Amino acid sequence: MDTTSDEELVERARTGDVDAFATLVDRYRVPALRLAYGIAGDEAEDAVQDAFVKAFRKLGTFRSDAPFRPWLFTIVANEARNRRRSMSRRASLELRVREQPPGVGSASDAPAIEHEQRRMLVAAVNQLSGHHREVIALRFFAGLTEDETAAVLACPPGTVKSRLSRALDQLRAALGEEVRL
Amino acid sequence: MTDLERALTDLADHLDVPDTAGSGDALRRRLAAPATLPRHGRTRALLAAAAAIAVVSVGVVAVAPARHAVAGWLGIGAVEIRRSVPPLSVAPSTVPTTATTEPAPSLDLAAARRLVQFTIVTPRDVASPARVAVDRRVPGGLVVLTYDHFTLVEIATDRSQPPPLAKLVGGRARVEPVTVHGHAGVWVPEIHRIGYLDRSGRLRSDTVRRAGPVLLWERDGVTFRVEGPHTLAEAHAIADTVV
């Protein structure tokens, strides 16, 4: 795995080094897809493709003393929101858990139970408002810190804390007694 | 971190996030594409000189002048197929960014039928489409019918006009000529890109999206496009119901 820092890769990418930016793409593609999926469901892949292309083209506007991750994820979130706005059917916004391969031959029921719990959790996430779902996606699906999440949402960290807290409360309420989380 | 927070972090690893094989490579190609394409005349000269891009089209009677400069056309009705060696070049759009291939709001079929200037055909033996969208940027209209396992797109096709859409496929990508109900078609088995063309035949970068394997054919002034099946046989099976 490439251990070159984001800063160095960004500097190289600014001079048109596509390989340097491709390394950043490899580094952040999965969390970016997860974030975009949290916001725009099935449109995630196209949103992320467009976001990375935009980010590459906009590198000239990136302040080199600023952290790269929040800047990149702001572009991903914007692209995903744009896609969500243009979608009308809720179905394609709905998040799903990847199906378990059948017949894994496990000796216990644990995998099936875990799968069922994830399915219930994702169903609860699907019930959240766009704002709440987004903060969950940033914090847990993309793995951003609270400060990074605040930077992406352009709001104070306190707002992220309270929004997150309300989102988690709603998830607990939706999950009720059946799943103790 | 609470149990719920841990469960959400774990959930991230198990989400059914769409991630098509090869999309990372496609992205690299997009990144490698120049931010701007040379002006029209220069494009023509470059294309002819370098022979890097072959643009092919069938069934187009009147074509934009630039297209004559490039040998060998392939395409079906409203869709031109551009073959290029990477990097795929895409012109920056000069139209507002609102013009994208993002889906329009879903309609019912009756409403869609009023909006397009051709008869929309729905496949036999399947339930109603889950989603119906019309794009009127294509003269005569374009309708997207989304079903569970495939998407059928029908595009008004005026052979006297340059095609409004282009598919971009890699230089060595397979593009198989086929026949559907006795009409000429093509099968593009690989992931490629599709986008709208402006009047001078330039691809509008803000409309380009990724597309999977596709079967295209033209019949009676309508170009049909089936996306979703991964094999020609599956695509043919669907096409056979579109009569």
Side-chain angles (χ1 to χ4, degrees), chain A residues 21-22 25-26 29 33-34 37 45-46 49-50 53 56-57 86 88-89 96-98 118 140 168 172, chain B residues 4-5 8 10 12-16 18-20 23 27-28 30-31 33 102-103 106 130-131 210:
Chain A
F21 195 77
V25 168
D26 291 343
R29 202 163 148 277
L33 276 169
R34 290 174 179 176
Y37 186 60
E45 202 171 9
D46 286 344
Q49 291 258 346
D50 290 349
V53 173
F56 186 57
R57 306 261 187 265
S86 66
S88 62
R89 282 182 67 91
R96 296 175 302 270
V97 175
R98 215 174 29 242
R118 288 185 195 114
F140 300 108
L168 292 170
R172 281 193 194 91
Chain B
L4 176 55
E5 288 169 322
L8 286 163
D10 160 81
D13 288 331
H14 295 89
L15 290 170
D16 191 19
D19 190 6
T20 313
S23 67
L27 177 55
R28 277 175 186 252
R30 274 182 80 181
L31 292 172
E102 286 166 17
S106 188
R131 176 184 169 78
R210 187 182 40 76

Side-chain angles (χ1 to χ4, degrees), chain A residues 9 40-41 54-55 64 69 78 85 115 125 135 143 161 166:
Chain A
L9 291 168
K54 274 192 185 162
S64 52
R69 265 165 49 120
N78 280 338
R85 268 196 287 277
H115 181 69
V125 172
V135 78
K161 269 189 205 307
R166 278 196 295 276

Side-chain angles (χ1 to χ4, degrees), chain A residues 27-135:
Chain A
R27 194 169 284 178
Y28 293 119
R29 202 163 148 277
V30 168
L33 276 169
R34 290 174 179 176
L35 168 62
Y37 186 60
I39 296 172
D42 290 344
E43 296 279 319
E45 202 171 9
D46 286 344
V48 167
Q49 291 258 346
D50 290 349
F52 275 121
V53 173
K54 274 192 185 162
F56 186 57
R57 306 261 187 265
K58 283 168 69 172
L59 272 179
T61 66
F62 172 66
R63 271 186 22 236
S64 52
D65 58 337
F68 177 68
R69 265 165 49 120
W71 180 81
L72 175 68
F73 281 83
T74 301
I75 297 172
V76 173
N78 280 338
E79 272 307 305
R81 283 183 209 122
N82 288 342
R83 295 216 167 236
R84 184 182 61 198
R85 268 196 287 277
S86 66
M87 291 163 68
S88 62
R89 282 182 67 91
R90 219 179 141 69
S92 53
L93 269 178
E94 211 143 87
L95 308 184
R96 296 175 302 270
V97 175
R98 215 174 29 242
E99 283 308 315
Q100 301 276 82
V104 285
S106 169
S108 81
D109 292 334
I113 293 168
E114 281 171 5
H115 181 69
E116 186 55 21
Q117 288 191 340
R118 288 185 195 114
R119 220 183 45 72
M120 291 170 75
L121 181 55
V122 91
V125 172
N126 280 328
Q127 300 300 314
L128 294 177
S129 69
H131 272 327
H132 287 149
R133 189 163 130 172
E134 194 168 321
V135 78

